[in-house]
């Protein structure tokens, strides 16, 4: 995809990283979305929208797999949200 091409050349491109994460979340690929949002959250100039996206992606992962064995507990989701 075009987003992957951008990120191959500029791995620190925040907008492309967030767009890819969101496209994964919408496509029903929450584990991939979480990975991209976690990468984005480590980049400079990250705002609360990225952390909110990470929480949404983690919540989608919990819904997709069920809470057992996922490793995301409510306290972790809140910690990410209030980071």
């Amino acid at each position: 995809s075009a987003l992957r091409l951008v990120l191959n050349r500029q791995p620190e491109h925040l907008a492309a990283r967030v767009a890819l994460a969101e496209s994964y979340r919408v496509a029903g690929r929450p584990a991939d979305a979480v990975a991209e949002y976690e990468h984005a959250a480590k980049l400079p100039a990250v705002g609360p929208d990225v952390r909110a996206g990470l929480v949404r992606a983690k919540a989608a992962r919990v819904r997709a797999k069920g809470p057992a064995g996922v490793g995301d507990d409510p306290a972790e989701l809140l910690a990410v949200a209030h980071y």
Side-chain angles (χ1 to χ4, degrees):
S1 78
L3 293 171
R4 272 276 155 226
L5 290 174
V6 170
L7 291 171
N8 285 339
R9 292 183 182 161
Q10 298 176 30
E12 306 299 307
H13 195 289
L14 181 60
R17 183 77 55 193
V18 169
L20 183 60
E22 197 55 20
S23 70
Y24 284 151
R25 188 186 66 78
V26 170
R29 297 173 56 183
D32 293 325
V34 168
E36 293 300 332
Y37 270 119
E38 285 177 339
H39 189 107
K42 296 175 185 172
L43 298 175
V46 171
D49 55 328
V50 172
R51 288 186 290 281
L54 178 56
V55 170
R56 282 192 306 274
K58 285 188 171 195
R61 184 172 68 183
V62 169
R63 282 191 304 273
K65 293 186 177 182
V70 174
D72 292 326
D73 63 49
E76 180 188 358
L77 295 176
L78 287 173
V80 171
H82 292 143
Y83 175 72

